[in-house]
Amino acid sequence: AGATTLGIRIEDCAYPAYERIVPDPMRAKHVMRLPEAKRKELVAGLQSLVVNPRHHGVLVVLNGAIQMKAFAADGSVSEAKVDVPLEVGAEIEVALNRNYLVDALDAGADAMYLTSDAAPVLLRGASIDAVIGPLEKEKVAPAASASAAAAA
């Protein structure tokens, strides 16, 4: 078989403004630092959760700890908790893809920066910057959303 040559010409074009998507850690309203032992404990807790295979979503509540809750397709609920205080900010709840979160933590992310529950989460470490977009809470935790709406 002969050699194949592929040529690519990059046209002058406008690329998306990624700066609008990547959260600025200086504007984060919620910051949590994860020492290595706590990061490993968090990964183990996340991996213990039984998630819905459609979205792999978990509800993550950051307050005086990281509380995680997953709702499986059969309606069962699994929970895990790791004691890590927030460095900056008050309680916040965000729905995230468990697999993406584990991947970022396994790669060395040791800090989480959040601006709101509807904005992407920035995870940073010495060798990684990862951005995880939030999931819709109603899809991740339908029972929790329905009971919250009924209480209102």
Side-chain angles (χ1 to χ4, degrees):
T4 304
T5 303
L6 174 65
I8 299 174
R9 180 175 164 194
I10 300 176
E11 298 291 326
D12 185 28
C13 60
Y15 291 94
Y18 71 89
E19 301 89 3
R20 291 188 344 202
I21 298 169
V22 176
D24 179 357
M26 299 305 290
R27 293 186 179 186
K29 295 179 181 168
H30 311 274
V31 178
M32 180 172 282
R33 304 232 184 259
L34 300 162
E36 185 175 354
K38 292 296 184 179
R39 190 174 73 235
K40 288 179 180 180
E41 189 179 343
L42 179 56
V43 167
L46 285 164
Q47 291 175 330
S48 74
L49 299 175
V50 179
V51 297
N52 186 321
R54 292 186 64 208
H55 49 65
H56 301 279
V58 294
L59 281 181
V60 179
V61 178
L62 305 177
N63 50 27
I66 300 174
Q67 299 174 14
M68 302 157 282
K69 188 182 285 190
F71 298 80
D74 66 2
S76 64
V77 178
S78 55
E79 298 182 60
K81 179 181 173 183
V82 177
D83 290 323
V84 181
L86 271 168
E87 187 173 298
V88 174
E91 181 174 313
I92 184 170
E93 178 183 81
V94 62
L96 298 170
N97 180 296
R98 187 236 357 229
N99 297 348
Y100 297 159
L101 187 52
V102 166
D103 287 348
L105 293 166
D106 276 343
D110 58 9
M112 295 176 70
Y113 300 89
L114 300 94
T115 52
S116 78
D117 63 349
V121 176
L122 175 63
L123 290 110
R124 274 206 157 149
S127 61
I128 182 172
D129 281 345
V131 177
I132 303 175
L135 300 173
E136 295 178 40
K137 289 181 193 175
E138 297 78 24
K139 291 183 180 175
V140 172
S145 299
S147 61

